[in-house]
Amino acid sequence: MNTDAFLKELLETGTASLFDPNPIRFTRDHEPGIRPIKKIVKDGTAHQELRRELTRNQFLRGCLAATEKESVEHLLVGLGDHEGSTTYISSVLHAVGGPSSVSIPAIVNTAIQGWMLGEHFAEVIVFHNHPWNTLNVLFDNTPLASTTDRQTLLANLLKPEYAIKALIGGGRVRFFLGENGQVREFKTPNLVGFLKQHLSTVKP
């Protein structure tokens, strides 16, 4: 990526991140998620039913521990049910990407859709990591979702069946990023890129 492209990406993703929640503050209560998620990543398991359900933050704590020293990106998807202020994860999907990206395989996407179209409170937690990179060295930044990450978020937000379910108090698809030793939910689409694309389609 050249300097201009890097600065453009930083501006767009940085602007969107201003509206995202702060990184999660993990506690010792979340550590039970470390062992089972580390095993899934170490073994390269594609789909694992958990022996014991994990809360959302237990699952995310495990995702961080399992991927924070990895040199490639991992996708970890927790299928669960929304209850109260958390999500109870019962099974996990896992895919491995490259040093700078990881895609959602068709089989995983199908599993997400199937789960979301099930029970009213069915919820999906999507996590991926960013390996250590130049940005972390320069800024010691909090997790910063890329333009591609936010495009994936927007595509899911625009799915009518997901949007309607969320509006009436059902489960959602939620996206989290692990980077630089922290985990942060990203909830904001790429506003700069979205407006630019929208304005370019408006005829004078």
Side-chain angles (χ1 to χ4, degrees):
M1 181 182 293
N2 60 41
T3 302
D4 289 343
F6 174 76
L7 292 175
K8 177 176 177 291
E9 171 85 1
L10 188 59
L11 172 64
E12 293 184 359
T13 57
T15 301
S17 73
L18 295 174
F19 301 94
D20 290 332
N22 290 326
I24 297 170
R25 297 183 68 177
F26 292 113
T27 69
R28 296 180 70 177
D29 292 337
H30 303 139
E31 292 183 1
I34 295 176
R35 185 175 180 179
I37 304 302
K38 270 192 168 183
K39 185 174 185 350
I40 289 171
V41 171
K42 181 180 179 180
D43 294 347
T45 308
H47 185 194
Q48 178 69 57
E49 295 288 336
L50 297 175
R51 292 183 179 179
R52 181 178 179 182
E53 289 184 333
L54 298 174
T55 65
R56 181 175 61 249
N57 281 358
Q58 287 174 341
F59 169 68
L60 292 170
R61 179 67 183 91
C63 290
L64 177 64
T67 64
E68 63 182 337
K69 295 183 180 180
E70 290 288 295
S71 59
V72 296
E73 293 193 14
H74 290 261
L75 176 74
L76 287 152
V77 178
L79 306 181
D81 293 289
H82 178 72
E83 185 177 325
S85 61
T86 192
T87 311
Y88 288 92
I89 308 296
S90 56
S91 64
V92 179
L93 303 167
H94 173 226
V96 184
S100 60
S101 67
V102 61
S103 61
I104 301 180
I107 190 171
V108 173
N109 201 38
T110 298
I112 291 173
Q113 291 179 338
W115 190 262
M116 286 300 295
L117 294 176
E119 298 293 331
H120 179 64
F121 290 107
E123 187 154 281
V124 175
I125 305 301
V126 181
F127 169 94
H128 79 285
N129 66 300
H130 283 174
W132 184 260
N133 55 68
T134 304
L135 189 65
N136 306 152
V137 177
L138 294 175
F139 298 103
D140 191 27
N141 60 292
T142 57
L144 192 61
S146 68
T147 297
T148 302
D149 296 337
R150 295 184 189 277
Q151 287 172 341
T152 303
L153 166 68
L154 181 60
N156 278 270
L157 290 176
L158 294 178
K159 289 183 178 179
E161 63 272 30
Y162 294 0
I164 292 171
K165 189 172 184 178
L167 285 173
I168 60 176
R172 297 171 289 164
V173 180
R174 300 177 63 176
F175 291 84
F176 293 81
L177 171 66
E179 181 179 0
N180 204 16
Q182 301 177 77
V183 176
R184 187 182 190 186
E185 183 175 13
F186 57 100
K187 305 171 72 172
T188 313
N190 181 353
L191 300 177
V192 175
F194 177 77
L195 289 173
K196 187 182 297 182
Q197 181 178 3
H198 177 71
L199 292 173
S200 67
T201 60
V202 177
K203 296 182 179 180

